Amino acid sequence: QPNNTAAAVVWSAAMPALAEHLDQPTWWELLSTLQLLRESILERNQVDTPNHLMLVGELGLTLSWRLADLPSCKRLKESSVQAVRQWCQSDDDSLAVALTGTRNARLTMASLLRCQRLIDKTTKRSLRARSRTIASELATWVTALTTHTGGSAFCAVDHKDVADDLSDEGLLRHVVPCDEEALRPAMQAALGESQSGGRLAWEVCLPESMHLNEEAKLAVMMPEWDVRRGRTHVDYRGDDVQIEVFGGRELMLAGRWQTMIEVDQDEQHPRGEWVLTCEYTDDDVHYLELEQPWSGGVLLQRQFVLVRDDRCLLLADNVTPSDHTMILINSE
């Protein structure tokens, strides 16, 4: 679905050039398909989704700019600007949806940046301060999720795979102006282009080194922003927590953290979602505690403790019974 969404935006931008390569019936059919797609997303009124931003906002802005001579496209401008504003005004929800699963974060960030530029260049308006705020927040998350290869958390890629994002005109360079003072050193540190540990960490206005979005069920824990000091990514949306642990530039641990619980030799199963029960951060540690209900009257608690100076990560499971039943635990 994200690929289809991005493809639709690309098609809309290419429409003038396609007029020279496609016969008229095919060209008009393509335009009609794009407009109907936009209308179908608009009717859903899910204003906090990337689809609303990209297919109602950006696609409409692009068509109204690239095909301004066509009345049906020109009319899209007002509702497209409104769609971008709606997405921005649903800031907390929009941010959570964009971050869920991490795969849409960069796609959404890129669309928001393009929408800002289109609105600035093709209208007499500009996005309000609230819109700039969500851009800064999302840009900070994109930076925090960026690995030393230039890829994103939970995505195994190398520099070649993300060459476009890393280029001088790429996404990772364009997110920096969203908060120049904080994100420039943070991005350089995440990519290993500079050192930000030790004294320098206090001399620049770096963002916090622990990030948590409870709605997206996503956390990033770093001793410091310097890539050499490692980082931990935690995605707790599913039954099994997904985890990535970097020791400097080396991926030390990755995959699903699975647990088997038996009560009276009967295997038990999850009965609900993971929920955040405790979060704490200071100059010494980052701490995260999650909880999940299981069958058999038991509760599974999971702790993450990152000792920042020592760059030591402690992981633990704790099973709490609702009575005094003996519980045998096998965690892997």
Side-chain angles (χ1 to χ4, degrees):
Q1 184 176 356
N3 290 337
N4 293 337
T5 298
V9 175
V10 172
W11 281 111
S12 68
M15 288 303 291
L18 289 173
E20 300 178 6
H21 299 278
L22 300 178
D23 58 73
Q24 281 197 6
T26 302
W27 190 91
W28 284 103
E29 182 180 359
L30 176 58
L31 176 60
S32 176
T33 299
L34 292 172
Q35 291 175 327
L36 288 173
L37 174 61
R38 179 183 181 275
E39 189 66 27
S40 68
I41 301 300
L42 180 62
E43 290 176 355
R44 295 179 189 178
N45 198 35
Q46 297 173 337
V47 299
D48 58 358
T49 63
N51 275 348
H52 192 83
L53 175 67
M54 297 184 68
L55 294 180
V56 182
E58 185 182 0
L59 189 148
L61 285 169
T62 303
L63 289 177
S64 68
W65 166 51
R66 300 288 280 162
L67 300 174
D69 292 339
L70 297 180
S72 65
C73 292
K74 187 176 181 179
R75 287 195 297 267
L76 300 178
K77 181 181 292 186
E78 290 298 320
S79 62
S80 299
V81 172
Q82 179 63 21
V84 177
R85 287 180 172 171
Q86 287 175 329
W87 186 87
C88 293
Q89 289 166 359
S90 302
D91 45 12
D92 290 342
D93 292 334
S94 296
L95 182 63
V97 175
L99 292 176
T100 299
T102 73
R103 297 186 180 276
N104 289 333
R106 289 192 182 185
L107 195 65
T108 306
M109 183 80 248
S111 180
L112 180 58
L113 291 174
R114 291 192 296 264
C115 286
Q116 287 179 330
R117 185 161 297 185
L118 282 168
I119 292 172
D120 289 342
K121 298 297 183 181
T122 64
T123 73
K124 296 180 180 179
R125 310 172 186 178
S126 61
L127 292 176
R128 298 168 184 170
R130 190 172 180 180
S131 303
R132 307 288 180 181
T133 298
I134 189 174
S136 176
E137 291 176 352
L138 183 54
T140 302
W141 267 101
V142 167
T143 306
L145 290 167
T146 297
T147 65
H148 68 281
T149 65
S152 190
F154 303 108
C155 184
V157 298
D158 58 27
H159 288 87
K160 293 181 181 179
D161 297 318
V162 289
D164 290 340
D165 284 358
L166 290 167
S167 69
D168 290 341
E169 294 302 320
L171 174 65
L172 298 186
R173 310 303 174 186
H174 280 278
V175 301
V176 168
C178 293
D179 188 351
E180 183 78 28
E181 186 177 11
L183 294 185
R184 183 167 297 282
M187 184 65 77
Q188 290 174 342
L191 293 173
E193 297 174 352
S194 67
Q195 299 176 15
S196 66
R199 291 183 56 195
L200 182 59
W202 303 102
E203 294 171 2
V204 296
C205 298
L206 286 166
E208 295 293 331
S209 57
M210 178 169 174
H211 296 267
L212 172 69
N213 190 292
E214 193 171 351
E215 293 299 319
K217 298 182 182 294
L218 181 67
V220 179
M221 306 166 73
M222 300 175 279
E224 300 291 350
W225 276 88
D226 190 339
V227 68
R228 299 177 308 163
R229 297 177 65 78
R231 59 185 58 203
T232 300
H233 306 134
V234 181
D235 181 347
Y236 57 100
R237 288 174 301 136
D239 285 346
D240 297 320
V241 172
Q242 292 277 349
I243 185 171
E244 279 187 340
V245 180
F246 286 87
R249 291 176 172 84
E250 184 175 355
L251 182 60
M252 307 293 292
L253 183 66
R256 294 187 300 163
W257 182 350
Q258 297 176 298
T259 298
M260 185 179 74
I261 301 176
E262 292 184 356
V263 176
D264 293 332
Q265 298 183 341
D266 291 329
E267 184 176 349
Q268 306 304 314
H269 303 279
R271 292 298 192 191
E273 297 181 347
W274 288 98
V275 296
L276 177 71
T277 54
C278 185
E279 172 209 359
Y280 178 79
T281 179
D282 62 21
D283 295 341
D284 299 317
V285 300
H286 297 318
Y287 178 74
L288 189 67
E289 182 176 284
L290 309 175
E291 188 174 272
Q292 183 185 45
W294 279 57
S295 60
V298 299
L299 200 63
L300 175 60
Q301 295 176 329
R302 182 157 290 169
Q303 293 91 21
F304 304 77
V305 183
L306 179 61
V307 184
R308 298 178 63 182
D309 284 345
D310 294 337
R311 289 181 291 166
C312 178
L313 178 66
L314 306 178
L315 305 173
D317 271 354
N318 177 44
V319 179
T320 304
S322 56
D323 51 33
H324 298 291
T325 304
M326 179 67 71
I327 300 174
L328 302 179
I329 307 169
N330 181 12
S331 180
E332 58 184 16

